[in-house]
Amino acid sequence: MSASTSKTKSKAKSRSAVGAPSQHSQSSRKGKRAWRKNVNIEDVEEAMEGMREEERVTGKPLQKTNDSNLFFVDVTGDEEIRKSIPKSLTSQTTAAKILAQRSAVPAVFSRTTSSGKRKAAVTKEEKERMLRIAKRPRKGPFNSIVDPTEFGAGSAVIGVTEAVKNSGQFDPWAADEEQEPEVPEGTERLQKMPVKAPMHIQPRKIIEVPAVVEPHLGTSYNPPADAHRELLLKAHEIEEKRISEAEKLAEVKTRMEKARVDADDGNSGVPGMKVDIATAVEEEQEPAEIFSKPTPERKTKQQRRKAAKVLAERRALAHRAANKRMLSTIDKVKALRKEVKMNSAKYDAERQQRRLLAEAKLKKGLSGQKLGRHKVSEGQVDVQLGEDLSESLRALKPEGNLFRDRFLSLQHRGRIEPRALVLPKKQRTRTVEYEKHAWKKFDRQQ
């Protein structure tokens, strides 16, 4: 009886508390192998089993879980929590209770599964295309077999093109998206920096000249006397200015021609070439005395030391004078700073005033201003004299040119650039006569 009880006690002790396989009872532990095999590690197994239980319930050990996921302050309470708690059923079997305990750790599969998305199924069009390539019979409506010799139903790959598939996706009026070019790593400094466009105000955005300017009252077929007189004076001033400029240009041309003639008067031969005039040479000419610069004598050591000492003294005096001037200006720093601020404010105000004047002038248009190589024409004043005026529309004579007015309006509003007037030239045809070789020798032929 005592022997049997001792055997049962040893078997009970050999079993682990966490369900580990039982170790064989061994009374002796003299060898190292027996000692290592039968060491007691029940406390370690209990801790490991506790961590496994936490991982089965929560998905990961509580040591790796944040405090915010473990604890929270419940102020109001959750009314729906009672519905989520499973009710304990007295009639539930033990097998159902075991199956109800689901682990949070995902199950291990024996085969590998792809982590990516599921491959899309083959479309109907793709399936038909593959059947055409493989020359398999394809069923049409009412389970009829499609004839492979029919056009578009054979082995040829005839289907919807990519252009048709992508139709409606391109917007030609949409703004182009600036795509930054890919720069290789480490070559940022070698790439050229993009040049930014200057933010200048366009003149045509400031100009307030209408496309069709309202004509002057003096241009009417029956104008008021004051308006007609004012327009005549304006046309007279423009014509007088044009004549004065033409006279100045003619005077400059005459001066240039006169200077050219005076320069060519004393020259013989080809005009413009200067010829040296031979002068009488005296028979006896005394040879000119040649003065040679004496070579400087070599300085002694004493003279070089003296010159170096004088140079050092001069440099010291110049440095002292410069320091004195700098120290004298230190006391005037505040006054100088104040003067600089006043001058800068004055320059800014003048620049702002010049800008406002330029904008005010630009609002009236570009008439009379020079843009590039040419000047914008001011246009002509269309006015009739008093004796040419007609008091009725029947006897009215048209004045001006609508095309010219429209062209000048586009230039004044900055829509087109000014251009020089190019007059058409007539093509001059020159007749060239040739005498044939046979007609040159008509005497011999006779």
Side-chain angles (χ1 to χ4, degrees):
M1 190 70 181
S2 61
S4 62
T5 53
S6 63
K7 286 181 182 180
T8 54
K9 285 182 181 179
S10 63
K11 286 183 180 180
K13 287 181 180 179
S14 62
R15 287 187 178 182
S16 175
V18 295
S22 59
Q23 300 291 340
H24 296 286
S25 61
Q26 186 175 2
S27 59
S28 176
R29 286 190 180 179
K30 293 182 179 180
K32 292 182 179 180
R33 180 183 296 178
W35 180 262
R36 284 195 301 268
K37 186 176 181 181
N38 298 298
V39 67
N40 189 5
I41 54 172
E42 290 186 359
D43 51 350
V44 178
E45 290 179 353
E46 290 179 0
M48 294 293 292
E49 186 63 25
M51 293 179 66
R52 294 191 194 98
E53 185 67 26
E54 294 173 359
E55 190 173 359
R56 284 193 294 270
V57 176
T58 61
K60 57 181 178 179
L62 297 178
Q63 297 176 357
K64 299 180 181 179
T65 309
N66 297 331
D67 294 343
S68 59
N69 298 334
L70 294 174
F71 308 100
F72 67 95
V73 179
D74 190 5
V75 180
T76 58
D78 191 3
E79 297 179 357
E80 302 294 331
I81 194 170
R82 188 177 298 278
K83 299 178 182 179
S84 62
I85 298 175
K87 297 180 180 179
S88 58
L89 299 175
T90 56
S91 61
Q92 192 174 10
T93 60
T94 305
K97 291 180 181 179
I98 295 172
L99 293 174
Q101 296 178 358
R102 295 296 179 182
S103 174
V105 180
V108 180
F109 295 93
S110 59
R111 58 185 180 85
T112 56
T113 56
S114 59
S115 59
K117 296 181 180 179
R118 187 179 179 183
K119 207 167 184 178
V122 181
T123 60
K124 183 179 179 181
E125 292 80 4
E126 186 69 15
K127 187 176 180 180
E128 290 182 356
R129 188 183 69 85
M130 295 172 68
L131 288 173
R132 284 199 303 270
I133 295 172
K135 297 182 179 180
R136 295 287 184 88
R138 294 181 294 110
K139 293 184 178 181
F142 303 105
N143 293 330
S144 61
I145 302 298
V146 179
D147 186 8
T149 60
E150 186 183 353
F151 176 76
S155 60
V157 183
I158 300 175
V160 182
T161 60
E162 293 293 330
V164 177
K165 292 179 181 178
N166 300 330
S167 61
Q169 299 179 5
F170 176 70
D171 187 6
W173 306 107
D176 296 337
E177 298 181 359
E178 297 182 358
Q179 297 181 358
E180 298 182 357
E182 296 182 0
V183 180
E185 188 177 356
T187 60
E188 291 82 2
R189 296 186 177 181
L190 301 178
Q191 301 296 328
K192 291 184 178 180
M193 297 298 292
V195 180
K196 294 183 179 179
M199 301 297 291
H200 295 311
I201 300 175
Q202 296 292 338
R204 60 184 181 182
K205 295 181 179 179
I206 305 175
I207 296 173
E208 298 179 355
V209 179
V212 180
V213 183
E214 184 179 355
H216 197 271
L217 290 176
T219 59
S220 177
Y221 69 95
N222 189 12
D226 297 338
H228 187 249
R229 191 181 305 107
E230 181 185 353
L231 193 60
L232 283 174
L233 290 174
K234 184 178 180 182
H236 174 70
E237 290 176 359
I238 293 173
E239 187 66 19
E240 191 176 13
K241 183 179 178 181
R242 186 185 64 80
I243 292 172
S244 63
E245 289 179 355
E247 289 178 353
K248 287 181 181 179
L249 183 60
E251 185 180 356
V252 171
K253 286 184 178 180
T254 53
R255 287 180 183 178
M256 293 172 64
E257 291 290 339
K258 187 178 180 182
R260 189 180 295 110
V261 170
D262 293 343
D264 296 339
D265 283 344
N267 301 334
S268 60
V270 182
M273 296 180 62
K274 294 182 179 181
V275 181
D276 296 335
I277 301 173
T279 56
V281 182
E282 298 181 359
E283 295 180 357
E284 296 180 358
Q285 289 184 353
E286 296 180 358
E289 296 181 1
I290 300 173
F291 297 95
S292 60
K293 189 176 180 181
T295 56
E297 297 180 357
R298 186 179 179 83
K299 291 183 179 181
T300 61
K301 289 184 178 181
Q302 185 179 1
Q303 290 175 347
R304 286 197 294 271
R305 282 197 300 269
K306 188 176 180 180
K309 185 178 180 181
V310 171
L311 182 61
E313 289 178 357
R314 288 180 182 177
R315 288 178 178 174
L317 289 173
H319 184 65
R320 195 180 303 167
N323 288 339
K324 189 174 181 181
R325 286 195 300 271
M326 185 183 65
L327 292 174
S328 63
T329 56
I330 290 176
D331 300 335
K332 302 178 183 179
V333 170
K334 293 183 179 179
L336 292 174
R337 188 183 293 113
K338 188 176 180 181
E339 184 179 357
V340 169
K341 287 184 179 179
M342 291 176 63
N343 291 336
S344 63
K346 182 181 177 181
Y347 295 151
D348 292 341
E350 291 178 356
R351 186 168 60 252
Q352 184 72 8
Q353 187 177 3
R354 287 196 299 270
R355 188 179 64 81
L356 293 176
L357 290 175
E359 288 184 1
K361 184 179 179 181
L362 196 60
K363 285 181 180 179
K364 299 178 182 179
L366 300 174
S367 176
Q369 299 185 22
K370 187 176 181 182
L371 294 178
R373 296 187 301 172
H374 306 291
K375 185 179 179 181
V376 180
S377 178
E378 296 181 3
Q380 300 177 1
V381 179
D382 298 327
V383 61
Q384 294 180 348
L385 299 178
E387 57 269 14
D388 297 336
L389 290 174
S390 60
E391 297 182 359
S392 64
L393 290 173
R394 291 179 180 274
L396 179 64
K397 296 179 181 179
E399 292 286 340
N401 189 343
L402 293 178
F403 178 78
R404 184 194 64 191
D405 296 342
R406 182 61 178 168
F407 189 74
L408 290 177
S409 175
L410 292 173
Q411 290 185 354
H412 293 171
R413 291 182 290 123
R415 297 299 187 270
I416 58 175
E417 70 278 5
R419 295 290 185 91
L421 181 62
V422 180
L423 297 175
K425 294 182 180 180
K426 293 183 179 180
Q427 294 182 359
R428 297 181 180 179
T429 56
R430 185 167 59 93
T431 305
V432 182
E433 295 181 357
Y434 294 97
E435 189 176 0
K436 292 186 177 181
H437 187 72
W439 294 99
K440 288 181 182 179
K441 300 177 180 181
F442 62 93
D443 293 334
R444 295 180 182 180
Q445 291 179 1
Q446 292 177 358

